[in-house]
Amino acid sequence: MPANLDSTEKLFKKHSSKPYNPKLANVFFKCGMIEAWGRGFDKIKEACAKYDGPLPEYEINEDGIMVLCKACDKYLELLSGKQNNNPFTENERIMSEFMNGKMKEPIQKIVEYLKSNNEITTAKGMEITGKSEAQVRRYLKNLCDIGFIASTKSTKGNTYTKV
């Protein structure tokens, strides 16, 4: 952390980025959880604006930076179990259930499809995501587990419908 980085405002300006633990940071980078060095504060600011949340409080000293993030009302609502009457208008709720970045894009495609269709099959999921049958079944099972869709079995296989 450069010594001249002494105010919160400077965090959102161009500055060098040196991870406290480079080996651990590299693991997160390689698995796709970090997209680029030095974008963290910008992403925090963007997320706070998107969800109408408060900006974090920062404590900057010679050892580095301590960030205190406070929960926004939307996050507290999700934690309390209160849900929007139409969960298909809020993809973020589903995406928050899946921390694995590899699952995010295919699940988002499934959710987008279900916005205009009442049901989906494994075959249709394979078509829209380009993933294997086993992967699509796993995505659909995860969406069932969080109560986003429900599975109904028939002689032709499972059909998944909006809840």
Side-chain angles (χ1 to χ4, degrees):
M1 180 78 46
N4 65 352
L5 190 58
D6 57 0
S7 72
T8 303
E9 295 80 32
K10 289 183 181 180
L11 289 173
F12 298 105
K13 293 181 180 177
K14 190 171 181 150
H15 64 274
S16 66
S17 178
K18 292 176 9 180
Y20 181 76
N21 185 335
K23 289 181 181 179
L24 184 60
N26 196 34
V27 169
F28 284 115
F29 179 74
K30 286 183 176 180
C31 75
M33 295 180 81
I34 297 173
E35 63 185 42
W37 300 122
R39 285 262 306 127
F41 291 110
D42 290 334
K43 291 184 81 158
I44 290 170
K45 188 175 184 180
E46 290 167 11
C48 288
K50 181 177 181 179
Y51 295 103
D52 198 27
L55 280 174
E57 296 173 11
Y58 304 95
E59 180 184 321
I60 303 169
N61 60 41
E62 63 278 350
D63 294 328
I65 183 166
M66 176 66 72
V67 181
L68 173 63
C69 297
K70 297 180 180 178
C72 67
D73 292 336
K74 186 171 186 170
Y75 179 73
L76 294 172
E77 181 181 306
L78 289 172
L79 281 179
S80 71
K82 296 178 187 173
Q83 295 179 359
N84 186 340
N85 288 339
N86 184 1
F88 291 90
T89 61
E90 294 292 338
N91 288 2
E92 294 84 8
R93 182 178 72 84
I94 295 104
M95 293 306 125
S96 70
E97 297 290 332
F98 301 97
M99 297 305 288
N100 184 346
K102 293 177 184 174
M103 293 178 76
K104 184 176 180 179
E105 186 179 328
I107 289 174
Q108 193 165 17
K109 287 179 180 179
I110 291 169
V111 170
E112 288 297 320
Y113 176 82
L114 286 169
K115 281 185 175 180
S116 56
N117 298 279
N118 290 327
E119 61 184 35
I120 189 169
T121 62
T122 304
K124 187 63 177 178
M126 291 168 58
E127 179 185 324
I128 63 175
T129 64
K131 300 294 183 178
S132 72
E133 181 177 353
Q135 289 172 310
V136 170
R137 285 182 190 270
R138 188 169 51 250
Y139 301 147
L140 294 171
K141 181 189 179 309
N142 287 333
L143 289 169
C144 283
D145 290 346
I146 64 167
F148 192 74
I149 58 175
S151 173
T152 53
K153 296 181 186 203
S154 70
T155 55
K156 295 180 182 179
N158 287 6
T159 300
Y160 301 87
T161 55
K162 296 181 202 180
V163 175

